[in-house]
Amino acid sequence: MAGPKPRIITLTKREGQGYGFYLRVEHGEEGHLIRALEMGGAAELAGLKDGDRIVRVNGTFVDILEHSQVADLVRKSGMSVTLHVLGEEAYKTAKANGVNLADTQSQSGQSQPTMNGVSAPAAKAKLCYLQKSSSGFGFSLKSTKGTKGIFMTEVMSGGEADQAGVKLDDRIVEINSENVESLSHDQIVQKVKATGDKVMLLLVDEDADRFFKGKGIRPSTAYATVKHLPHKPRIADMTKRADGYGFILKEVPKHAGHYIGEIDKGSPAERAGLKNMDRLVAVNGQETDNCRHEQVVEKISQQGNKCSLLVLDAETEKMYKLGGVSPLLYWEEMRGSPPSYPEHEAEATPAPAALAPADGDHKPKLCRLEKAAAGFGFHLNGIQGLHGQYIKEVVKDGAADRAGLEDDDIVVEVNGVNVEMSTHEEVVNLVRKSGDTLVLLVAERTAYDHLKARGIAITPQLLDKEPSADVPAPAYAQEDERKDTGSDNERPATPPAQTRSRSSSSSSSSSSSSSASSASDVSEDVKL
């Protein structure tokens, strides 16, 4: 029997955002399921459906992998991920007929993949940066009765607009990152005049406009090409020599971010085109703006003897900020394939064969708590809008204290379920469902940061011994059982120190005493 034809879908996201779906495994259901699609999210716009099964992640066949392994593949893919998916019926039919799904990769039912609902290479919006000359910007605006939108007209041949990529009848969507689709002709004219001598426009031509409207997608910079922009970020591909890459990473007073400095003459950094005071934006496609200095250094170090840096000079950064554009759009547009590294560095140091296990000072803790009359004796705290939970207000001589928990320990697993990407309410529910015995895998904050910076997954395998056989089976929280209680507290910033809203914390002493879910109810889901 011929194998089914998976859909190939590429999703992109912004830093701090998700792809808009839950990856889930359920008792009685085979495969890695797409659930709880966020309306208007990347996954929903791309055409993913509830019950779809993920077969491959970035080309890796995942149907035989553990749930946590698949979630990690998606998380570690950076700001975009390519999925091969099958509909629920097609997947179940294939499994029932013994089809080897690993052989279906070349049988794609689409000639081109889909990116957030747009066939790739897709009809794209475009970003155009104009600098006014003595004759102006070189275009006029028009509106047509019965047609919604303001359009470009009288685009002067060889003028500023023409050179910037503006075409006749392009529809204007944004001016300097502000959506102006609902404004009148006169209001948009005033907006353009108010920009001064520089303006960033987000435009759609007739084909792109028709496509976006047909898909119900609102054009934005997420769907735009940056190929017309005059100033470009730079990608520096480097191979390390025995003395390193030949630059330092520094922080500059009164300037946010991480900067390149002290570039050695003839070094890999100089050959790759790095300049003094370039701002580092990403390491191998992973954004660094929200990382501490030492975390960025670790990101570079853990790449072995090769790394690829995305950097901006001051002029390019100013232009990108004007349009509210992420420089990672340039990376995504330029890097459809793995980076091409120079191979001529004779003194390159060998890359480590594998990541070293956690050292003695940076190990997690596996803590087994037996509920007392006063509860487990700790509070669970989190920050609103961010993933990650931590321990607070450990009661002296209480169950948590006796088990080795300490204030500010970061919770990694609850009864064997990884909760690093779970919401506060989901983790609270897991604790409540644990009954009288609770097993937590936690890490002290510096240990957590150290392991994450080195790309080491925090699991019980990092301990000297495996958890005891009497550790209870995991109890999994369902979405409709979320609940909020408790008082306010704020977690110490784990990557960046910045002001954040706080979520309510929950005292374990008020947790219900309901028993853990039975095996027939077990499911697991991860928000992505």
Side-chain angles (χ1 to χ4, degrees):
M1 179 180 176
K5 297 179 180 181
R7 292 149 28 227
I8 305 174
I9 292 176
T10 297
L11 305 176
T12 61
K13 65 176 183 176
R14 290 282 173 266
E15 184 68 27
Q17 296 180 351
Y19 292 116
F21 71 94
Y22 275 80
L23 179 66
R24 188 173 176 85
V25 290
E26 298 175 357
H27 181 74
E29 295 282 352
E30 290 187 277
H32 304 283
L33 287 77
I34 301 291
R35 293 295 195 203
L37 289 157
E38 177 185 328
M39 186 63 67
E44 193 262 342
L45 291 175
L48 285 175
K49 305 296 183 185
D50 187 76
D52 279 348
R53 265 65 166 183
I54 296 179
V55 180
R56 292 181 182 270
V57 175
N58 296 332
T60 300
F61 183 64
V62 299
D63 199 53
I64 57 174
L65 299 183
E66 296 292 329
H67 174 72
S68 59
Q69 293 175 302
V70 182
D72 282 342
L73 282 175
V74 176
R75 289 191 191 114
K76 291 176 181 178
S77 67
M79 306 308 290
S80 67
V81 63
T82 298
L83 307 176
H84 284 56
V85 299
L86 288 172
E88 182 173 6
E89 184 176 350
Y91 179 87
K92 288 183 175 180
T93 300
K95 298 294 278 189
N97 287 283
V99 173
N100 183 4
L101 294 178
D103 293 335
T104 62
Q105 184 178 22
S106 62
Q107 300 173 344
S108 170
Q110 298 173 202
S111 59
Q112 296 174 333
T114 300
M115 177 174 289
N116 291 8
V118 182
S119 296
K124 284 189 173 184
K126 58 185 175 183
L127 285 156
C128 300
Y129 178 70
L130 287 68
Q131 297 188 69
K132 186 184 290 184
S133 67
S134 56
S135 57
F137 287 124
F139 71 88
S140 296
L141 295 172
K142 70 174 183 178
S143 55
T144 304
K145 189 174 182 179
T147 302
K148 186 177 180 181
I150 307 300
F151 299 85
M152 295 291 177
T153 189
E154 298 179 15
V155 179
M156 186 186 304
S157 179
E160 294 298 322
D162 183 32
Q163 294 182 48
V166 177
K167 301 298 181 185
L168 188 67
D169 292 327
D170 283 347
R171 183 170 70 84
I172 189 165
V173 178
E174 292 183 4
I175 299 175
N176 289 353
S177 77
E178 180 185 353
N179 188 282
V180 296
E181 291 176 288
S182 63
L183 301 186
S184 68
H185 181 279
D186 290 342
Q187 287 174 318
I188 291 181
V189 169
Q190 291 303 315
K191 287 280 185 186
V192 173
K193 289 181 178 180
T195 61
D197 60 355
K198 297 176 183 178
V199 63
M200 180 78 82
L201 302 176
L202 180 69
L203 306 171
V204 288
D205 62 22
E206 185 178 0
D207 289 339
D209 203 12
R210 185 185 306 112
F211 184 86
F212 286 130
K213 287 177 180 176
K215 291 289 186 180
I217 300 172
R218 184 177 185 177
S220 69
T221 56
Y223 305 105
T225 177
V226 294
K227 68 181 181 181
H228 299 291
L229 298 182
H231 309 303
K232 303 182 185 302
R234 281 170 285 119
I235 299 174
D237 295 325
M238 301 181 292
T239 302
K240 188 189 293 183
R241 301 189 310 197
D243 58 348
Y245 291 116
F247 74 95
I248 67 166
L249 187 68
K250 63 182 182 179
E251 296 176 293
V252 179
K254 298 183 180 180
H255 288 76
H258 312 278
Y259 292 83
I260 305 297
E262 298 185 24
I263 301 168
D264 296 338
K265 190 171 183 180
S267 66
E270 184 186 55
R271 294 181 186 180
L274 289 181
K275 305 294 183 185
N276 190 52
M277 284 302 292
D278 279 344
R279 188 171 76 81
L280 178 62
V281 176
V283 176
N284 280 26
Q286 298 179 16
E287 195 165 5
T288 57
D289 283 353
N290 293 325
C291 296
R292 297 196 308 272
H293 177 78
E294 54 270 25
Q295 289 177 312
V296 181
V297 172
E298 286 284 356
K299 279 182 182 291
I300 296 172
S301 298
Q302 72 186 34
Q303 303 303 321
N305 68 329
K306 295 180 179 180
C307 77
S308 189
L309 306 183
L310 181 66
V311 298
L312 298 169
D313 60 30
E315 188 174 22
T316 305
E317 180 167 27
K318 187 176 181 180
M319 180 193 69
Y320 267 70
K321 282 185 175 180
L322 181 65
V325 186
S326 167
L328 283 171
L329 279 177
Y330 180 80
W331 173 277
E332 292 164 4
E333 200 159 348
M334 296 298 293
R335 278 284 153 87
S337 58
S340 173
Y341 294 103
E343 298 292 346
H344 58 271
E345 302 287 354
E347 298 179 71
T349 56
L355 287 169
D359 57 61
D361 293 330
H362 296 104
K363 285 186 177 180
K365 298 181 291 186
L366 193 64
C367 302
R368 191 174 191 276
L369 290 69
E370 297 291 342
K371 184 184 286 186
F376 289 120
F378 71 92
H379 280 241
L380 184 68
N381 285 27
I383 302 172
Q384 184 176 352
L386 296 178
H387 298 294
Q389 308 298 316
Y390 66 104
I391 302 297
K392 206 70 178 175
E393 298 182 30
V394 176
V395 177
K396 188 176 180 180
D397 295 326
D401 185 31
R402 292 193 299 270
L405 286 178
E406 299 175 278
D407 279 5
D408 298 329
D409 280 346
I410 295 173
V411 181
V412 180
E413 291 184 2
V414 176
N415 293 339
V417 179
N418 186 284
V419 297
E420 291 174 275
M421 298 298 291
S422 299
T423 65
H424 178 76
E425 292 83 2
E426 289 168 336
V427 181
V428 168
N429 277 330
L430 283 175
V431 173
R432 287 176 175 164
K433 283 175 168 284
S434 64
D436 293 331
T437 302
L438 175 65
V439 178
L440 300 179
L441 181 70
V442 301
E444 187 269 334
R445 189 162 67 89
T446 56
Y448 184 89
D449 290 348
H450 174 84
L451 293 170
K452 285 296 179 182
R454 296 180 66 83
I456 299 174
I458 303 175
T459 69
Q461 282 67 42
L462 296 179
L463 303 169
D464 293 329
K465 61 182 180 179
E466 295 297 316
S468 60
D470 62 346
V471 171
Y476 298 92
Q478 302 298 319
E479 286 223 31
D480 59 354
E481 296 170 328
R482 297 176 186 173
K483 192 174 180 180
D484 240 343
T485 64
S487 57
D488 286 343
N489 274 297
E490 186 170 350
R491 171 180 175 174
T494 299
Q498 56 182 329
T499 303
R500 296 186 174 118
S501 300
R502 294 178 292 178
S503 74
S504 58
S505 63
S506 287
S507 168
S508 66
S509 61
S510 64
S511 299
S512 69
S513 59
S514 61
S515 60
S517 297
S518 63
S520 63
D521 296 326
V522 169
S523 62
E524 184 175 351
D525 62 316
V526 176
K527 188 176 183 180
L528 296 167

